[in-house]
Amino acid sequence: MSEKMLAARFAEVVLPHLSDALSLARWLTGNQADAEDVVQEACLKAHAGIAGFAGGNSRAWLLTIVRNASYTWMARNRPRSVVAVGDLADLDDVSPPPDNDADSPEAVLISKANSAAVEAAITRLPQAFRETVVLRDINGLSYREIATMLGVPQGTVMSRLARARGLLMTELGGRHEPA
Amino acid sequence: MSPHENRPREDGLPQDPQDMKLMIHALVDGELDAAAALAVERRMAADPELAAEHARLVALRGALANVPRPAVSDDFLARIAAIAEVKDPEVAEATQAEDMRVEAQPSVPQQQQGQVIAMRPRAPRWFNSFDWRQMAASIALTAFLASGATQWLTTADNGADSFAVAVANGHRRSLLAATPVDIVSSDRHTVKPWLDGRIGVSPPAPDMAKDGYALLGGRVEVIGDRPMPALVYRHHEHLITLVAAPRQNEAKSVPVADDLSAGGFLLVHWTDDAFSYWAISDAERPALDDFVARFRAAIIANPAAGSPG
């Protein structure tokens, strides 16, 4: 492939998804300025590998590179904050939300939560839960795409998603405040 | 065991309450096929606990959709676009030499200039190299819409891929052309006869302006060696092209939309009665899925518009 064709392909495959890329990197690294650095690095890698992109969902392809770049970046720049990704034993310590008290007023509370509260709640999620819920609910990937990206079975994606959302719902629904 | 003892398991859904919750999540995420979705909805109707979980999930999805998305600044966009710039070999070599000298003597100002050039080369030239407006529109919408729409858990078959690419190329050409339609009309009574007259086939063409999808008109697409009717709808700043291929007898039925992309566009593919439909747009998936749902509903509501012409 000529350099010109590669450039055209880059413009077509990578550029339309920059907002998604920034959003994922921001949630993984925790701040906007770092996200831009990470996405720039990821785009360099994407450009280097663009000839090997076989078609299909270009957004999922780019986001996979962004995710890897985020963790590489964090390991290099903030080694202390990196949690072991995919360590399921850690995740089991996070208790699932209580099942009782399922009333609709809570749904009303959740839907009324302002975006600052929602952002704070997402930030507080354990890393593996956070990335799953961000990939699904903010970046809009399918279960299959997330499973491929994280290298875990689809069932694991489903259960992480349910746990992540459970924690978010508990927090936003006001049940975490002792009466 | 008698069939009656088996009854609770008949809908094929898990008995475990925790697993059943996963099914509710899958329903909200649009990951269930029609039969499973129906079964889950029945269970929900009978179980207030499950219904409440569903309500909380829908509320949470709404709350997450309102989380602001990071904006892509022009500066950042230019920086990323510059990555793919076709480099003049001499300049590239010179830049490399500069970089090496910078490492040796980091304080000489001339070399810093070399750095600046390396970081942000010739952004204006890049803007001319492809359709800037189209990309800007797709980025703006990506930034504007958060996720949350349905994505269907179906496998895209490979035979459909080349067709999808052809549909994508047609859509791209229409965006570049002076006008995306051959016949401009929001009235299906004009568009359908025009298509009928040209190629002897016309798909349902409901006007969904009240839903935010205005019918702009129609055009003829040639895919493979066959002319096919295409409808063009406008949704905010985005065009949605709907190609309707008359359904072949041997073509397998695709009851739910397929999740595809081609040429940087998103596609949704489904089959209804007489036609196989391909909807393509640079809009985000939630908008496209919403369009598909409304289009299908409009056909069911008004079968007269849905006759294959």
mmCIF file of all heavy atoms in Angstrom, chain A residues 45-81:
data_model
loop_
_atom_site.group_PDB
_atom_site.id
_atom_site.type_symbol
_atom_site.label_atom_id
_atom_site.label_comp_id
_atom_site.label_asym_id
_atom_site.label_seq_id
_atom_site.Cartn_x
_atom_site.Cartn_y
_atom_site.Cartn_z
ATOM 1 N N LYS A 45 0.498 4.173 16.848
ATOM 2 C CA LYS A 45 0.477 2.719 16.688
ATOM 3 C C LYS A 45 -0.543 2.304 15.638
ATOM 4 O O LYS A 45 -0.294 1.407 14.832
ATOM 5 C CB LYS A 45 0.147 2.048 18.017
ATOM 6 C CG LYS A 45 1.311 2.119 18.989
ATOM 7 C CD LYS A 45 1.004 1.333 20.254
ATOM 8 C CE LYS A 45 2.142 1.501 21.245
ATOM 9 N NZ LYS A 45 1.683 1.826 22.593
ATOM 10 N N ALA A 46 -1.702 2.973 15.666
ATOM 11 C CA ALA A 46 -2.745 2.647 14.690
ATOM 12 C C ALA A 46 -2.230 2.913 13.280
ATOM 13 O O ALA A 46 -2.479 2.133 12.359
ATOM 14 C CB ALA A 46 -3.998 3.470 14.962
ATOM 15 N N HIS A 47 -1.498 4.007 13.124
ATOM 16 C CA HIS A 47 -0.974 4.341 11.801
ATOM 17 C C HIS A 47 0.035 3.292 11.354
ATOM 18 O O HIS A 47 0.035 2.856 10.206
ATOM 19 C CB HIS A 47 -0.337 5.728 11.816
ATOM 20 C CG HIS A 47 0.174 6.148 10.467
ATOM 21 N ND1 HIS A 47 1.505 6.238 10.186
ATOM 22 C CD2 HIS A 47 -0.483 6.465 9.328
ATOM 23 C CE1 HIS A 47 1.649 6.615 8.918
ATOM 24 N NE2 HIS A 47 0.459 6.755 8.380
ATOM 25 N N ALA A 48 0.862 2.859 12.294
ATOM 26 C CA ALA A 48 1.859 1.839 11.954
ATOM 27 C C ALA A 48 1.177 0.532 11.563
ATOM 28 O O ALA A 48 1.689 -0.220 10.736
ATOM 29 C CB ALA A 48 2.803 1.628 13.127
ATOM 30 N N GLY A 49 0.028 0.254 12.163
ATOM 31 C CA GLY A 49 -0.615 -1.033 11.920
ATOM 32 C C GLY A 49 -1.788 -0.969 10.970
ATOM 33 O O GLY A 49 -2.513 -1.946 10.800
ATOM 34 N N ILE A 50 -1.993 0.181 10.352
ATOM 35 C CA ILE A 50 -3.229 0.351 9.588
ATOM 36 C C ILE A 50 -3.303 -0.579 8.384
ATOM 37 O O ILE A 50 -4.387 -1.004 7.982
ATOM 38 C CB ILE A 50 -3.390 1.828 9.144
ATOM 39 C CG1 ILE A 50 -4.818 2.102 8.654
ATOM 40 C CG2 ILE A 50 -2.442 2.191 8.018
ATOM 41 C CD1 ILE A 50 -5.626 2.884 9.595
ATOM 42 N N ALA A 51 -2.141 -0.936 7.838
ATOM 43 C CA ALA A 51 -2.159 -1.834 6.676
ATOM 44 C C ALA A 51 -2.699 -3.201 7.070
ATOM 45 O O ALA A 51 -3.238 -3.931 6.247
ATOM 46 C CB ALA A 51 -0.756 -1.958 6.087
ATOM 47 N N GLY A 52 -2.572 -3.544 8.359
ATOM 48 C CA GLY A 52 -3.034 -4.848 8.806
ATOM 49 C C GLY A 52 -4.478 -4.859 9.260
ATOM 50 O O GLY A 52 -5.011 -5.899 9.631
ATOM 51 N N PHE A 53 -5.129 -3.690 9.263
ATOM 52 C CA PHE A 53 -6.526 -3.637 9.683
ATOM 53 C C PHE A 53 -7.397 -4.296 8.637
ATOM 54 O O PHE A 53 -7.431 -3.884 7.483
ATOM 55 C CB PHE A 53 -6.944 -2.173 9.899
ATOM 56 C CG PHE A 53 -8.402 -2.011 10.202
ATOM 57 C CD1 PHE A 53 -8.968 -2.674 11.266
ATOM 58 C CD2 PHE A 53 -9.200 -1.195 9.419
ATOM 59 C CE1 PHE A 53 -10.313 -2.530 11.551
ATOM 60 C CE2 PHE A 53 -10.541 -1.043 9.687
ATOM 61 C CZ PHE A 53 -11.101 -1.708 10.761
ATOM 62 N N ALA A 54 -8.105 -5.345 9.058
ATOM 63 C CA ALA A 54 -8.784 -6.187 8.084
ATOM 64 C C ALA A 54 -10.193 -5.719 7.763
ATOM 65 O O ALA A 54 -10.960 -6.434 7.146
ATOM 66 C CB ALA A 54 -8.819 -7.622 8.594
ATOM 67 N N GLY A 55 -10.564 -4.532 8.187
ATOM 68 C CA GLY A 55 -11.943 -4.102 7.998
ATOM 69 C C GLY A 55 -12.770 -4.518 9.189
ATOM 70 O O GLY A 55 -12.243 -5.037 10.169
ATOM 71 N N GLY A 56 -14.075 -4.302 9.092
ATOM 72 C CA GLY A 56 -14.914 -4.582 10.250
ATOM 73 C C GLY A 56 -15.098 -3.316 11.051
ATOM 74 O O GLY A 56 -15.062 -2.225 10.487
ATOM 75 N N ASN A 57 -15.277 -3.467 12.356
ATOM 76 C CA ASN A 57 -15.596 -2.305 13.165
ATOM 77 C C ASN A 57 -14.339 -1.505 13.485
ATOM 78 O O ASN A 57 -13.538 -1.880 14.345
ATOM 79 C CB ASN A 57 -16.291 -2.754 14.446
ATOM 80 C CG ASN A 57 -16.850 -1.568 15.206
ATOM 81 O OD1 ASN A 57 -16.325 -0.456 15.119
ATOM 82 N ND2 ASN A 57 -17.907 -1.804 15.933
ATOM 83 N N SER A 58 -14.164 -0.389 12.808
ATOM 84 C CA SER A 58 -12.947 0.391 12.988
ATOM 85 C C SER A 58 -12.881 1.016 14.379
ATOM 86 O O SER A 58 -11.807 1.198 14.941
ATOM 87 C CB SER A 58 -12.860 1.480 11.919
ATOM 88 O OG SER A 58 -14.022 2.275 11.928
ATOM 89 N N ARG A 59 -14.058 1.306 14.954
ATOM 90 C CA ARG A 59 -14.064 1.925 16.278
ATOM 91 C C ARG A 59 -13.538 0.957 17.334
ATOM 92 O O ARG A 59 -12.703 1.301 18.161
ATOM 93 C CB ARG A 59 -15.484 2.377 16.626
ATOM 94 C CG ARG A 59 -15.516 3.292 17.811
ATOM 95 C CD ARG A 59 -16.826 4.006 17.872
ATOM 96 N NE ARG A 59 -17.922 3.058 17.724
ATOM 97 C CZ ARG A 59 -18.993 3.067 18.494
ATOM 98 N NH1 ARG A 59 -19.106 3.950 19.436
ATOM 99 N NH2 ARG A 59 -19.947 2.213 18.304
ATOM 100 N N ALA A 60 -14.030 -0.298 17.268
ATOM 101 C CA ALA A 60 -13.559 -1.300 18.229
ATOM 102 C C ALA A 60 -12.069 -1.547 18.063
ATOM 103 O O ALA A 60 -11.335 -1.727 19.042
ATOM 104 C CB ALA A 60 -14.342 -2.610 18.060
ATOM 105 N N TRP A 61 -11.628 -1.529 16.814
ATOM 106 C CA TRP A 61 -10.204 -1.744 16.531
ATOM 107 C C TRP A 61 -9.362 -0.640 17.164
ATOM 108 O O TRP A 61 -8.387 -0.900 17.865
ATOM 109 C CB TRP A 61 -10.000 -1.775 15.015
ATOM 110 C CG TRP A 61 -8.586 -1.973 14.566
ATOM 111 C CD1 TRP A 61 -7.872 -3.139 14.590
ATOM 112 C CD2 TRP A 61 -7.707 -0.982 14.040
ATOM 113 N NE1 TRP A 61 -6.612 -2.923 14.098
ATOM 114 C CE2 TRP A 61 -6.483 -1.611 13.749
ATOM 115 C CE3 TRP A 61 -7.840 0.389 13.775
ATOM 116 C CZ2 TRP A 61 -5.398 -0.934 13.208
ATOM 117 C CZ3 TRP A 61 -6.763 1.076 13.233
ATOM 118 C CH2 TRP A 61 -5.556 0.405 12.964
ATOM 119 N N LEU A 62 -9.778 0.613 16.952
ATOM 120 C CA LEU A 62 -9.013 1.738 17.504
ATOM 121 C C LEU A 62 -9.065 1.728 19.037
ATOM 122 O O LEU A 62 -8.052 1.941 19.708
ATOM 123 C CB LEU A 62 -9.555 3.068 16.971
ATOM 124 C CG LEU A 62 -8.808 4.300 17.486
ATOM 125 C CD1 LEU A 62 -7.367 4.297 16.996
ATOM 126 C CD2 LEU A 62 -9.500 5.590 17.049
ATOM 127 N N LEU A 63 -10.245 1.442 19.579
ATOM 128 C CA LEU A 63 -10.377 1.471 21.036
ATOM 129 C C LEU A 63 -9.521 0.394 21.704
ATOM 130 O O LEU A 63 -9.023 0.586 22.816
ATOM 131 C CB LEU A 63 -11.846 1.324 21.454
ATOM 132 C CG LEU A 63 -12.729 2.536 21.110
ATOM 133 C CD1 LEU A 63 -14.145 2.346 21.642
ATOM 134 C CD2 LEU A 63 -12.148 3.830 21.656
ATOM 135 N N THR A 64 -9.347 -0.739 21.023
ATOM 136 C CA THR A 64 -8.467 -1.775 21.561
ATOM 137 C C THR A 64 -7.043 -1.237 21.682
ATOM 138 O O THR A 64 -6.362 -1.444 22.699
ATOM 139 C CB THR A 64 -8.474 -3.015 20.639
ATOM 140 O OG1 THR A 64 -9.818 -3.452 20.475
ATOM 141 C CG2 THR A 64 -7.642 -4.133 21.237
ATOM 142 N N ILE A 65 -6.601 -0.517 20.647
ATOM 143 C CA ILE A 65 -5.258 0.059 20.675
ATOM 144 C C ILE A 65 -5.166 1.118 21.766
ATOM 145 O O ILE A 65 -4.174 1.201 22.504
ATOM 146 C CB ILE A 65 -4.910 0.654 19.288
ATOM 147 C CG1 ILE A 65 -4.940 -0.450 18.235
ATOM 148 C CG2 ILE A 65 -3.556 1.329 19.321
ATOM 149 C CD1 ILE A 65 -4.761 0.054 16.822
ATOM 150 N N VAL A 66 -6.217 1.914 21.906
ATOM 151 C CA VAL A 66 -6.225 2.964 22.938
ATOM 152 C C VAL A 66 -6.152 2.351 24.333
ATOM 153 O O VAL A 66 -5.425 2.837 25.200
ATOM 154 C CB VAL A 66 -7.492 3.845 22.813
ATOM 155 C CG1 VAL A 66 -7.645 4.750 24.021
ATOM 156 C CG2 VAL A 66 -7.437 4.669 21.540
ATOM 157 N N ARG A 67 -6.892 1.253 24.514
ATOM 158 C CA ARG A 67 -6.866 0.612 25.828
ATOM 159 C C ARG A 67 -5.465 0.122 26.159
ATOM 160 O O ARG A 67 -4.941 0.372 27.254
ATOM 161 C CB ARG A 67 -7.848 -0.556 25.855
ATOM 162 C CG ARG A 67 -7.759 -1.357 27.139
ATOM 163 C CD ARG A 67 -8.756 -2.491 27.174
ATOM 164 N NE ARG A 67 -8.657 -3.184 28.450
ATOM 165 C CZ ARG A 67 -8.010 -4.325 28.623
ATOM 166 N NH1 ARG A 67 -7.378 -4.897 27.607
ATOM 167 N NH2 ARG A 67 -7.976 -4.896 29.815
ATOM 168 N N ASN A 68 -4.855 -0.571 25.204
ATOM 169 C CA ASN A 68 -3.500 -1.063 25.445
ATOM 170 C C ASN A 68 -2.532 0.081 25.703
ATOM 171 O O ASN A 68 -1.699 0.014 26.619
ATOM 172 C CB ASN A 68 -3.017 -1.884 24.247
ATOM 173 C CG ASN A 68 -3.789 -3.184 24.122
ATOM 174 O OD1 ASN A 68 -4.360 -3.660 25.090
ATOM 175 N ND2 ASN A 68 -3.836 -3.744 22.925
ATOM 176 N N ALA A 69 -2.668 1.149 24.911
ATOM 177 C CA ALA A 69 -1.783 2.306 25.088
ATOM 178 C C ALA A 69 -1.990 2.937 26.472
ATOM 179 O O ALA A 69 -1.032 3.384 27.110
ATOM 180 C CB ALA A 69 -2.029 3.329 23.988
ATOM 181 N N SER A 70 -3.242 2.945 26.931
ATOM 182 C CA SER A 70 -3.530 3.536 28.250
ATOM 183 C C SER A 70 -2.793 2.782 29.352
ATOM 184 O O SER A 70 -2.173 3.388 30.227
ATOM 185 C CB SER A 70 -5.034 3.488 28.548
ATOM 186 O OG SER A 70 -5.747 4.244 27.605
ATOM 187 N N TYR A 71 -2.871 1.455 29.294
ATOM 188 C CA TYR A 71 -2.239 0.674 30.357
ATOM 189 C C TYR A 71 -0.717 0.743 30.272
ATOM 190 O O TYR A 71 -0.030 0.804 31.295
ATOM 191 C CB TYR A 71 -2.737 -0.773 30.336
ATOM 192 C CG TYR A 71 -4.156 -0.863 30.843
ATOM 193 C CD1 TYR A 71 -5.160 -1.464 30.108
ATOM 194 C CD2 TYR A 71 -4.503 -0.296 32.075
ATOM 195 C CE1 TYR A 71 -6.465 -1.516 30.568
ATOM 196 C CE2 TYR A 71 -5.802 -0.341 32.544
ATOM 197 C CZ TYR A 71 -6.777 -0.945 31.784
ATOM 198 O OH TYR A 71 -8.059 -0.983 32.245
ATOM 199 N N THR A 72 -0.206 0.752 29.034
ATOM 200 C CA THR A 72 1.243 0.911 28.879
ATOM 201 C C THR A 72 1.681 2.251 29.458
ATOM 202 O O THR A 72 2.670 2.347 30.195
ATOM 203 C CB THR A 72 1.625 0.864 27.381
ATOM 204 O OG1 THR A 72 1.029 -0.283 26.804
ATOM 205 C CG2 THR A 72 3.124 0.818 27.207
ATOM 206 N N TRP A 73 0.905 3.270 29.139
ATOM 207 C CA TRP A 73 1.230 4.625 29.601
ATOM 208 C C TRP A 73 1.190 4.703 31.126
ATOM 209 O O TRP A 73 2.067 5.267 31.750
ATOM 210 C CB TRP A 73 0.237 5.610 28.974
ATOM 211 C CG TRP A 73 0.574 7.047 29.225
ATOM 212 C CD1 TRP A 73 1.315 7.861 28.429
ATOM 213 C CD2 TRP A 73 0.184 7.836 30.347
ATOM 214 N NE1 TRP A 73 1.415 9.096 28.983
ATOM 215 C CE2 TRP A 73 0.742 9.125 30.154
ATOM 216 C CE3 TRP A 73 -0.574 7.589 31.493
ATOM 217 C CZ2 TRP A 73 0.557 10.155 31.063
ATOM 218 C CZ3 TRP A 73 -0.754 8.613 32.403
ATOM 219 C CH2 TRP A 73 -0.191 9.874 32.198
ATOM 220 N N MET A 74 0.170 4.104 31.698
ATOM 221 C CA MET A 74 0.049 4.165 33.158
ATOM 222 C C MET A 74 1.149 3.381 33.850
ATOM 223 O O MET A 74 1.663 3.801 34.881
ATOM 224 C CB MET A 74 -1.330 3.666 33.595
ATOM 225 C CG MET A 74 -2.405 4.701 33.369
ATOM 226 S SD MET A 74 -3.931 4.302 34.219
ATOM 227 C CE MET A 74 -4.575 3.038 33.167
ATOM 228 N N ALA A 75 1.509 2.247 33.246
ATOM 229 C CA ALA A 75 2.579 1.446 33.856
ATOM 230 C C ALA A 75 3.888 2.237 33.855
ATOM 231 O O ALA A 75 4.699 2.117 34.779
ATOM 232 C CB ALA A 75 2.753 0.141 33.078
ATOM 233 N N ARG A 76 4.076 3.060 32.814
ATOM 234 C CA ARG A 76 5.314 3.815 32.709
ATOM 235 C C ARG A 76 5.286 5.066 33.584
ATOM 236 O O ARG A 76 6.258 5.400 34.243
ATOM 237 C CB ARG A 76 5.522 4.205 31.250
ATOM 238 C CG ARG A 76 6.953 4.566 30.896
ATOM 239 C CD ARG A 76 7.117 4.727 29.397
ATOM 240 N NE ARG A 76 6.187 5.709 28.870
ATOM 241 C CZ ARG A 76 5.460 5.543 27.774
ATOM 242 N NH1 ARG A 76 5.553 4.421 27.104
ATOM 243 N NH2 ARG A 76 4.642 6.477 27.351
ATOM 244 N N ASN A 77 4.137 5.757 33.580
ATOM 245 C CA ASN A 77 4.077 7.057 34.246
ATOM 246 C C ASN A 77 3.541 7.028 35.672
ATOM 247 O O ASN A 77 3.836 7.898 36.458
ATOM 248 C CB ASN A 77 3.247 8.035 33.417
ATOM 249 C CG ASN A 77 3.926 8.361 32.107
ATOM 250 O OD1 ASN A 77 4.931 9.052 32.083
ATOM 251 N ND2 ASN A 77 3.404 7.822 31.018
ATOM 252 N N ARG A 78 2.696 6.081 35.941
ATOM 253 C CA ARG A 78 2.140 6.013 37.290
ATOM 254 C C ARG A 78 2.075 4.572 37.748
ATOM 255 O O ARG A 78 1.006 4.015 37.935
ATOM 256 C CB ARG A 78 0.695 6.536 37.296
ATOM 257 C CG ARG A 78 0.559 7.953 36.951
ATOM 258 C CD ARG A 78 -0.861 8.339 37.347
ATOM 259 N NE ARG A 78 -1.477 9.150 36.335
ATOM 260 C CZ ARG A 78 -2.629 8.869 35.757
ATOM 261 N NH1 ARG A 78 -3.301 7.783 36.094
ATOM 262 N NH2 ARG A 78 -3.113 9.660 34.867
ATOM 263 N N PRO A 79 3.244 3.962 37.913
ATOM 264 C CA PRO A 79 3.254 2.519 38.213
ATOM 265 C C PRO A 79 2.464 2.164 39.477
ATOM 266 O O PRO A 79 1.910 1.082 39.570
ATOM 267 C CB PRO A 79 4.739 2.201 38.373
ATOM 268 C CG PRO A 79 5.445 3.496 38.453
ATOM 269 C CD PRO A 79 4.578 4.532 37.812
ATOM 270 N N ARG A 80 2.389 3.098 40.417
ATOM 271 C CA ARG A 80 1.718 2.743 41.677
ATOM 272 C C ARG A 80 0.205 2.625 41.536
ATOM 273 O O ARG A 80 -0.439 1.951 42.308
ATOM 274 C CB ARG A 80 2.052 3.783 42.743
ATOM 275 C CG ARG A 80 3.247 3.337 43.561
ATOM 276 C CD ARG A 80 3.568 4.361 44.595
ATOM 277 N NE ARG A 80 5.000 4.634 44.572
ATOM 278 C CZ ARG A 80 5.562 5.649 45.180
ATOM 279 N NH1 ARG A 80 4.811 6.516 45.839
ATOM 280 N NH2 ARG A 80 6.851 5.817 45.139
ATOM 281 N N SER A 81 -0.336 3.387 40.576
ATOM 282 C CA SER A 81 -1.799 3.407 40.508
ATOM 283 C C SER A 81 -2.360 2.273 39.663
ATOM 284 O O SER A 81 -3.563 2.075 39.619
ATOM 285 C CB SER A 81 -2.272 4.732 39.927
ATOM 286 O OG SER A 81 -1.995 4.763 38.539
#
